[in-house]
Amino acid sequence: MTLNVLYLAHDLADAAIRRRVLTLKAGGAGVTVAGFKRGANVLADEHDVTTTVLGRTADARFAQRIGAVVGARMTLRRRLAAIRRPDVIIARNLETLALAGQAASLFGGDIPVVYECLDIHRLLLDEGVKGRLMRQAQRYFGSRASLLITSSPAFVENFFKPRSGLDMPVLLLENKVLALKPELVSTFPAPRPPKADRPWRIGWFGAIRCRKSLDILTEFAARMDGKVEIVLRGRPAHSEFDDFHATVNTAPHVEFHGAYRNPEDLAAIYQDVHFTWAIDFFEEGLNSSWLLPNRLYEGGLHGAVPIALSGTETGRFVGNRDIGVTIDSAMPETLAALFDGMTEARYDDLASRLAGVERNQWVTGPAECRALVARLAALRPSVSSPADVPAVSTVQS
């Protein structure tokens, strides 16, 4: 029997929402999505996925987002009236977790709720009144959940275990590349150093929200005077920059090529660069130190050598596998020294080490999709213990 999933999405413009929906569908589930809009709906072309808009939210406007959630709670019965009764509800981030219990009660209170949290918002870590209120809200709404899905072991060790107050099983799902046709990613791309007199290219792809990274990379590119180029692709968080486009357009040796489709465009965009910028300072010392970003897996799969910061979870991931470059400080002068010493031989060695990693480190294939849906199906009250359900993913650090 098909598992029917209601996916509550915090941002219908987030490419990761589409990836999770496609993962569930590939695992055999039927998926209905209800969520908030901040931009173009990434599910607009998925004609077999019904999408309901619960309201509009905006980046970096937390009070506005609370208002949108309150508004959605008041109209939830009407908005979900035409939706088939789900077997499981997945709530992405705290704002939709606040709706999940009410949604479950509308369909029948025995529907299991799954809390999916792939970033720890800085307010959840605040030591003041706001932080305490946020954690209390998470505990209150999370008390209804049967399973927590998160993407990095450092999130569990640094927040969920010691500080969240949540008590539920944890499923670690890394931000791997969805590869529904494994034959398309079975061959690792060969090392591709630049031709004579051509620059090294560093790709920073995905959610572009780190102002400090942009400042570092633009200054570094100017300092290298054409020996290194910075290539940006994805969705900028304009609230984090004074004027993103003006900064990029006036920066020498920096390119921005806009949005791309994930996973369809990944091979082309990563094989256009030599290195992946896998450093983030958006919530420095907190979430940024604990995450394992999408670009780490995307670049790893497609042969772009990661550049990571020592002392972070990404740095440990790279260092433990000896598959990239880790630096102690991400300063323009540090990067300049690194690339002044970058030779074709060194790059070939780095790329070859990356090529030695098993493909399943980077990809979620059909078997993993089915295992995820089986794990979710086991949450239903009519289903016995999930002890015999295969694990979806094992995260190493």
Side-chain angles (χ1 to χ4, degrees), residues 13 15 26 59 74 94 136 156 169 172 194 209 251 265 315 324 338 352 363 367 397:
D59 289 330
M74 295 174 64
L94 179 55
Q136 287 173 7
V156 179
L172 287 164
R209 59 184 183 178
D265 297 339
L338 171 65
S352 296
V363 303
S397 61

Side-chain angles (χ1 to χ4, degrees), residues 201-203 217 220 228 230 274-280 293 295-296 304-310 312 314-315 318 323-327 330 335 338-339 342 350:
R201 288 166 65 84
I202 301 173
L217 289 171
F220 162 59
V228 177
I230 309 300
H274 306 101
F275 295 87
T276 297
W277 182 254
I279 296 174
D280 185 274
R295 59 183 66 96
L296 174 65
V305 176
I307 301 173
L309 189 65
S310 299
T312 66
T314 303
V318 170
I323 56 170
V325 177
T326 55
I327 54 179
L335 294 169
L338 171 65
F339 278 88
M342 186 60 62
L350 292 168

Side-chain angles (χ1 to χ4, degrees), residues 355-370:
V357 178
E358 291 291 332
R359 300 296 86 206
N360 61 11
Q361 175 64 85
W362 310 122
V363 303
T364 294
E368 290 79 13
C369 296
R370 292 191 294 269

